[in-house]
């Protein structure tokens, strides 16, 4: 399905299917970007390492990321599937995964919210033809309540623990790469996991503890920089600003500020989800940044939290500025270059990235339609009107 935030995708090939799936995921996140920005501002300002540390206001950070944001995502996902009834059931069901796991359940919310709404949609179809006149409201309320109760229990007992296990597996994979000295390759796991909102689990659950142990021995650790490097996300957002769909370009400057200066990396994840092939750009940026850190011997003395350029500078050891800055710059440049190429450098005017013809595979000409506006030339005349009239014999 298309939303005001995601372009329509036509076609039946693998590429179109992936783009459509990514559009569904992004459609659950993009309407809630304002909430992410609000959380990002509160985090950047009031946590102990923020600009204006405040213990009372910092208590907002945990509940917002662990409860409010997942519920908003589940609500939006349910609404996409089954309107307002689906939204309510999706929000209720999301509370199950929130309670059933100890990590932020963004991924769990994107699963259980639409799933609960879809189940309710089929239940409504079944009961609509079997409900006598006058009992519609009673039946509708009870079916929504029953589906919500069942799904919230399923979230606590099944979906939440499964998603948490997936998070642990991703963390174990990163740890294996670290122990086998394959740090640049770790980006193959870290960057896709970040886009699925597993970034905090990997950074604070795996890389942070390992980095602390290494920092105690050597005075610094590169492990603090594997997930938190703001370069890949910055490069991606710059590519979107210059070459992305015109409808999305106005949102990128604020996203860049929140991401790079505020350290809230979640802000760029929806941009990857909208065009899943761009995961290659952040993987390339992350791997090149890690390689640069290795070559220059860079490291940090503690976890940069949040992962902003200011936090990086604050925990850079004396004399280590060059390697840290070089890794961020290289990651930004590589991510930008790859993302720009994948976006086709704007397709000359920046609008064709949203053209259905770009999303259809070769040969799917039956799925491609052209509107009257697309059939106009630069003067505003239609193609038929712009053809010179022939002189009658």
């Amino acid at each position: 399905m298309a939303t005001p935030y995601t372009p329509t995708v036509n076609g039946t090939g693998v590429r179109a299917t992936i783009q459509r799936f990514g559009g569904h995921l992004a459609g659950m996140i993009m309407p809630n970007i304002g909430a992410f920005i609000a959380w990002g501002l509160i985090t950047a300002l009031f946590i102990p390492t923020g600009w204006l540390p405040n213990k009372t206001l910092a208590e907002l950070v945990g509940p917002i990321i662990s409860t409010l944001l997942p519920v908003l995502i589940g609500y939006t996902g349910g609404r996409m599937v089954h309107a307002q009834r689906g939204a309510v059931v999706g929000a209720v069901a999301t509370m199950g995964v929130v309670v059933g796991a100890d990590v932020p359940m963004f991924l769990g919310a994107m699963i259980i919210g639409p799933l609960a709404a879809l189940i309710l949609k089929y239940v409504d179809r079944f009961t609509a033809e079997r409900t006598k006149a006058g009992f519609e409201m009673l039946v509708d309320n009870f079916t929504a309540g029953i589906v919500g109760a069942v799904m919230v229990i399923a979230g606590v007992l099944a979906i939440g623990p499964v998603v948490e296990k997936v998070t642990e597996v991703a963390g174990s994979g990163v740890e294996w790469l670290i122990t086998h000295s394959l740090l640049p390759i770790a980006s193959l796991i870290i960057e896709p996991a970040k886009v699925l909102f597993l970034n905090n689990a990997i950074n604070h659950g795996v890389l942070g503890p390992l980095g602390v142990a290494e920092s105690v021995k050597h005075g610094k650790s590169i492990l603090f920089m594997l997930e938190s490097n703001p370069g890949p996300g910055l490069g991606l957002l710059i590519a979107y600003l210059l070459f992305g769909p015109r409808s999305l370009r106005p949102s990128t400057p604020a996203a860049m500020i929140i991401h790079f200066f505020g350290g809230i990396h979640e802000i760029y994840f929806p941009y990857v989800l909208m065009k899943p092939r761009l995961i290659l750009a952040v993987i390339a940026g992350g791997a090149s940044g890690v390689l640069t850190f290795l070559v220059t011997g860079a490291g940090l003395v503690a976890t940069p939290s949040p992962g902003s350029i200011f936090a990086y500078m604050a925990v850079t050891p004396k004399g280590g500025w060059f390697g840290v800055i070089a890794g961020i710059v290289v990651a930004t440049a590589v991510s930008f270059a790859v993302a720009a190429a994948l976006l086709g450098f704007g397709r000359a005017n920046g609008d064709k990235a949203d053209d259905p013809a770009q999303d259809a595979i070769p040969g799917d000409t039956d799925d491609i339609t052209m509107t009257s506006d697309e059939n106009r030339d630069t003067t505003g005349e239609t193609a038929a009107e712009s053809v010179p009239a022939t002189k009658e014999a």
Side-chain angles (χ1 to χ4, degrees):
M1 72 190 67
T3 73
Y5 301 90
T6 58
T8 301
V9 178
N10 293 323
T12 57
V14 174
R15 175 186 174 189
T17 300
I18 294 174
Q19 288 177 324
R20 195 174 292 112
F21 177 72
H24 293 341
L25 298 182
M28 288 183 258
I29 304 297
M30 291 302 292
N32 300 306
I33 283 294
F36 276 86
I37 291 176
W39 173 76
L41 291 173
I42 292 171
T43 302
L45 289 173
F46 302 125
I47 63 174
T49 56
W51 291 90
L52 301 170
N54 186 298
K55 184 178 180 180
T56 300
L57 296 179
E59 293 179 359
L60 292 167
V61 175
I64 290 177
I65 191 173
S66 63
T67 303
L68 176 61
L69 294 180
V71 169
L72 284 175
I73 292 170
Y75 179 94
T76 306
R79 189 178 183 86
M80 291 170 63
V81 174
H82 194 40
Q84 184 61 26
R85 282 171 58 77
V88 173
V89 172
V92 172
T94 301
M95 282 303 300
V97 296
V98 169
V99 174
D102 295 326
V103 296
M105 276 286 105
F106 296 102
L107 180 58
M110 287 189 281
I111 295 172
I112 199 170
L115 178 60
L118 182 64
I119 292 174
L120 180 62
K121 185 175 182 178
Y122 283 114
V123 170
D124 284 350
R125 287 180 181 178
F126 177 81
T127 59
E129 301 175 355
R130 296 167 174 80
T131 302
K132 294 182 179 181
F135 290 88
E136 293 88 353
M137 181 177 293
L138 178 66
V139 173
D140 286 350
N141 286 337
F142 269 90
T143 53
I146 293 171
V147 171
V150 171
M151 291 305 295
V152 78
I153 294 172
V156 173
L157 300 179
I159 298 177
V162 168
V163 175
E164 189 171 21
K165 188 64 177 178
V166 170
T167 303
E168 294 176 1
V169 170
S172 299
V174 173
E175 186 174 0
W176 183 87
L177 291 173
I178 292 171
T179 57
H180 289 78
S181 302
L182 299 172
L183 286 183
I185 300 178
S187 296
L188 291 172
I189 296 178
I190 292 174
E191 298 302 333
K194 286 175 64 176
V195 171
L196 293 176
F197 296 92
L198 302 178
N199 52 316
N200 288 321
I202 290 177
N203 189 29
H204 299 293
V206 178
L207 300 177
L210 294 174
V212 169
E214 184 174 302
S215 180
V216 170
K217 293 180 180 179
H218 307 290
K220 62 180 180 180
S221 175
I222 191 177
L223 302 181
F224 293 130
M225 312 164 80
L226 299 187
E227 183 276 336
S228 61
N229 186 351
L234 179 63
L236 175 82
L237 291 172
I238 295 174
Y240 253 101
L241 176 65
L242 299 179
F243 305 118
R246 289 190 182 277
S247 61
L248 296 176
R249 294 182 188 181
S251 67
T252 53
M256 284 190 283
I257 292 173
I258 294 296
H259 167 70
F260 192 66
F261 296 110
I264 309 306
H265 295 195
E266 287 87 350
I267 201 74
Y268 80 83
F269 300 165
Y271 293 88
V272 180
L273 293 173
M274 278 184 285
K275 294 185 178 293
R277 65 180 180 272
L278 293 179
I279 192 64
L280 299 176
V282 291
I283 289 175
S288 61
V290 172
L291 182 60
T292 304
F293 292 144
L294 281 173
V295 172
T296 59
L300 302 179
V301 298
T303 301
S305 181
S308 69
I309 185 62
F310 299 116
Y312 256 69
M313 296 300 100
V315 293
T316 298
K318 185 177 180 180
W321 307 101
F322 173 77
V324 171
I325 295 175
I328 296 174
V329 170
V330 169
T332 301
V334 172
S335 179
F336 166 75
V338 177
L342 292 173
L343 289 170
F345 298 101
R347 299 291 195 276
N349 63 12
D351 289 327
K352 294 183 180 179
D354 286 339
D355 190 339
Q358 298 296 327
D359 291 325
I361 61 173
D364 285 348
T365 55
D366 292 338
D367 291 323
I368 300 173
T369 59
M370 181 176 290
T371 65
S372 58
D373 290 338
E374 291 171 327
N375 199 31
R376 294 179 180 273
D377 62 11
T378 55
T379 64
E381 299 176 339
T382 63
E385 294 169 346
S386 63
V387 177
T390 57
K391 185 181 295 184
E392 295 182 0

